[in-house]
């Protein structure tokens, strides 16, 4: 029988298996404690040339959120075509700011790690030419924003 020297392969594999979860746990705790994230904001609506952008029945599903979003924390920003006059209409569930051709809407109520009801209807109306483009961005980065309809497409249909 041959004599083996050094560390057995099985010893290294066993040590490796046990060390991976410890590292993952040690790294995961500070990240979760320091961040507010998660949840999904569902935005339904359409964008039509000659009419504008309409968000109806938007709601927030906080499943998986690690904390509250205070009023103004969640934003959706629209950069509209320049040179088009528009009017913004929003219910109490939204905070609205306008700066030239940039419109930002934000949650006007705290969003908790639970489902909200309908956050109301929001619209930007104006004579936007069919085929003209706009951009939509949202924050914070951890929030999943899902656009239903062609709101997120960036082209007035």
């Amino acid at each position: 029988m041959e004599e083996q020297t050094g560390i057995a392969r099985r010893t290294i594999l066993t040590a490796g298996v046990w060390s991976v979860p410890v590292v993952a746990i040690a790294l995961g705790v500070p990240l979760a404690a320091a961040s507010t994230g998660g949840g999904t904001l569902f935005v339904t609506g359409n964008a039509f040339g000659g009419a504008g952008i309409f968000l109806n029945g938007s709601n927030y599903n906080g499943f998986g959120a690690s904390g509250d979003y205070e009023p103004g924390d969640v934003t959706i920003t629209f950069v509209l075509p320049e040179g088009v006059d528009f009017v913004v209409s929003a219910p109490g569930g939204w905070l609205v700011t306008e700066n030239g051709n940039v419109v930002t809407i934000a949650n006007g109520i705290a969003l908790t790690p639970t489902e909200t009801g309908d956050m109301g209807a929001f619209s930007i109306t104006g004579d936007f030419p069919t085929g003209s483009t706009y951009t939509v961005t949202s924050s914070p980065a951890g929030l999943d924003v899902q656009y239903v309809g062609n709101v997120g497409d960036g082209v007035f249909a």
Side-chain angles (χ1 to χ4, degrees), residues 139-150:
S139 68
L143 180 70
D144 179 19
V145 177
Q146 296 186 4
Y147 298 100
V148 182
N150 63 337

Side-chain angles (χ1 to χ4, degrees), residues 14 54 69 113 127 147 150 154:
T14 303
F54 303 91
Y69 290 109
D127 193 16
Y147 298 100
N150 63 337

Side-chain angles (χ1 to χ4, degrees), residues 45-74:
N46 290 291
F48 298 105
I53 296 172
F54 303 91
L55 305 180
N56 300 305
S58 301
N59 66 52
Y60 171 72
N61 181 348
F63 180 75
S66 61
D68 293 351
Y69 290 109
E70 295 304 317
D73 284 353
V74 173

Side-chain angles (χ1 to χ4, degrees), residues 50-136:
I53 296 172
F54 303 91
L55 305 180
N56 300 305
S58 301
N59 66 52
Y60 171 72
N61 181 348
F63 180 75
S66 61
D68 293 351
Y69 290 109
E70 295 304 317
D73 284 353
V74 173
T75 63
I76 301 174
T77 301
F78 298 88
V79 179
L80 304 167
E82 291 188 25
V84 177
D85 291 330
F86 58 87
V87 175
V88 178
S89 175
W94 299 106
L95 302 172
V96 178
T97 57
E98 296 178 46
N99 185 8
N101 65 324
V102 178
V103 175
T104 301
I105 63 171
N107 60 311
I109 57 172
L111 301 177
T112 62
T114 59
E115 176 98 25
T116 67
D118 186 345
M119 293 177 68
F122 170 87
S123 66
I124 302 172
T125 56
D127 193 16
F128 298 103
T130 301
S132 63
T133 60
Y134 60 92
T135 60
V136 183

Side-chain angles (χ1 to χ4, degrees), residues 10-22:
R10 183 176 297 229
T11 303
I12 293 171
L13 288 174
T14 303
V17 167
W18 283 106
S19 66
V20 171
V22 173

